[in-house]
Structure formats: structure tokens, C-alpha cells
Amino acid sequence: MTVLDDARDLRPDLVRLRRALHSDPETGLHLPRTQEKVLTALDGLGLEVTLGKALTSVTAVLRARRPAADAVPNPVAAPVLLRADLDALPLTEATGLDYASGVPGAAHACGHDLHAAMLVGAARLLASRRDRLLGDVVLMFQPGEEGHDGARLMLEEGLLDAAGARPAAAFALHAASSAPLGRFSTRPGPALAASGTVEVLFRGSGGHGAWPHTARDPIPALGAAIGALQTMVTRRFDAMEPVLVSIGRVSGGTAANIVPDTAQLAATLRAFSDDTHRRLEAEIERVAHGIAAAHGVEAEITYSEGYPVTVNDPAATDFVADVCADLFGADRFAAAERPALVADDIGRVLAEVPGAMVSLGARPRDLDAGRAAPNHSPRAVFDDGVLADGAALLAELALRTPRDPRIPQTSRRNPEGRPLI
Ligand SMILES: [Zn+2]
């Protein structure tokens, strides 16, 4: 039986697990019910499991096993890391599915339930093939991808040392509810954006709506800032350079006839280099302070750093394309022409370990491109027919990863620090 045949036999189990996760979503860093379901699904596979302290992560090491007759030491190569995120989004599902979220205000609208099921599937496929593995496999089940930086916490808690040697490569899949069903896609180099958040608070001085001249009204400043920030992006940055400011929240005031003391906006920022992010922050500051001065109010600006750029290793990306083509046929892989402006904390792992983040189209068969709701929509629907293929790809990547000697392998370095061949 091939890995793919085996994966397709696992399909009913993976669908059951995915739907159990889907109907009982949890958000943030603490996902006790989700962690329990993952642990139950991994039970009996003979994994070395470590649970997170600052978050309900599961790190499971699957040890390679060489046949006794094999003269090669056991194991011979650095581990491969495979990652799934586990958390849902804080929104109320509106899909009408019979396994829809039963938790108001929480929904798996970004497909992380599929990611978890696919990684469990890969664990099962690999557990029965330990003697074919060149090195160990680290399975990373991560809470808190949606803005909580769970990957950073897992790295701080020793993720990369879980198997005793630093991973040679890392791979992750991300389901896309509006991309063609079963199509794998990624690109070398920058693949996903670096993110940040800015909050701008305009502070004036409140008063009666009938006598605005006796107050210092922050509302017109807020209104001017919304347009000015968008104009700033188009005037201060090269049009060929992707830079994005999306204002997702504005607030201020309590009643129609009261001039409030303050009004504020919050925006997400996306760009593809730290340098661009620093420039973007400086420009926002300049615009906000300038507008505040023009309106006789003050601006208070607060930044929070988000995720770094997700950069795919070119060799790892080629390798993913080759394995996809070999397993599923060349038409199932499409090189992504451009990076995407979404952000993901897998970028923190890929900054340490060469690898690739791969998108997997999961648009339901009966929806054409224009009608499928995208990830993060309360109406996003993912076809779980992709689970077996996703699990098979992850397993094959772990089985076939060439353990490239240029990749740092702490356990195999000679005293001069040069990698051994
Ligand atoms: Zn996501």
C-alpha cells in the first residue's frame, strides 16, 4: 500500500475528527477540549508527547526506527517538523452546516480544524513507516495562530529541541476555502506578509453638540485620518511595493448631541520587510500628528508588532512542488505568482528552519470561484474531501526530505562547526 492509498483509507476517521473539532471550536492560546481531541487521536501511536505550559500546545516526536540489520546508526539524519494550528476565530458561524459550530462567538472559519486532522493523519501514516524514516518527525500542534503568537511561545518552550536535534526542514499546510479544490500552491521566498497593528487615539475636549466651537472635537480629525492614511500609502510608498493599511475598527462618542473627548481607530498593517514596516509606522505618526494639529487635538499612537514575513526556502519549495507532482500529478500544483498579504506565525518557525508553507484549495465542489466565501468569513465552507491528500503530502514530505548537509544539524556537526556530509 502506498502512503496515498493508506491516507485514503483513513479518510472517514479524519473527516470525523475534523467535524468534531469544527463543531466544538475554541479560540486563543487555551484550547483544552481541542488538545484533548488531538491527544485522543494520537493515542497508541507511540509518540513522545510534550504539552505546552503557556498554551495548550501538543508537541509529539515520532522516532525513526532503522531495521536492526541496517548498519547505519539510528537515526541518521536531523528531524523534520510538521505543523498544524488548532485555534478558531472569534466570530459566529453562518454556514448552516449540520456540523457547524455549537459555540456562539467561535468558529473554525480559517480551516485550522482541517490542519489538525491532516497532521493527525500524517502521524498515523508515519507511525506505521518508522523504518523508512531517515530521521525523527516533530509534530507541532499549535494554539493561538490567530493573533496570539502561539508559535513564538512554542519556540520559547523548546519546540526546536523536542527531538534532541534541530529540525532540518519544516512544512505546514493551510486550507483555503475559496481556492480550487485539491490544488496545492506556494512560492519561493516571501510568501506571506509581516503584520502589525496601530491604534490612533485623537484626544480633544468634549462639550455640547450645539456649541462645537467651545469644545475640541476629535471626530473630524478621525474622519480626516481615515482618508489621509489611505492616501499616504499611495503617495509615500512605491506602487510596486506591497503595503497595506486596513482600518478595521473606528469608535468615538456616545450620543448624537455630545462632542466626545476622544475618538479612535485601529488598523492592521501589512508589508514584506521590517524596513517597510518601520517606514509605515513613521508615516502614520506623521499623518496622525499633522491631522491632530490641524484640528486642534492631540494624537496618541500605539503600535503592536504582529508576525514576521513568512519566507519559504527555495529548495524546500521546489521539493514540495516535485512531491506534489509525483503524488497527485503536475496539474495539482500551481506556483503562486505573488505573495499573499495574510500573515501567519509559521513565519517564526521558517525564520529558524528552512521549509515551506503550502496552501491547499478546499473550495466546495458545488461553489464556483465567485461564490465561495473566503477564509475568515462567517460563511466560509471547507471541503473536507482534501484531508486524505493533505495528510499524504505531509507524510511524504517527512519521508522524502533530503537531509541537506548545508542545513544546520546540531547533532551532526564536527568541532569546527562545519556540517558533516
Ligand atoms: Zn489561518
Side-chain angles (χ1 to χ4, degrees), residues 278-300:
R278 297 295 85 79
R279 278 184 53 219
L280 189 53
E281 291 175 11
E283 292 292 344
I284 289 171
E285 224 156 283
R286 196 177 58 77
V287 168
H289 285 308
I291 287 175
H295 288 263
V297 299
E298 277 88 51
E300 293 167 18

Side-chain angles (χ1 to χ4, degrees), residues 83 85 87 89 109-112 115 145-146 173-175 342-344 357 375-376 382:
R83 178 267 206 163
D85 42 15
D87 54 320
L89 282 160
C110 200
H112 300 190
H115 308 167
E145 187 282 318
E146 298 289 356
L173 281 179
H174 204 301
V342 293
D344 193 300
M357 170 67 145
N375 288 37
H376 287 214
F382 298 81

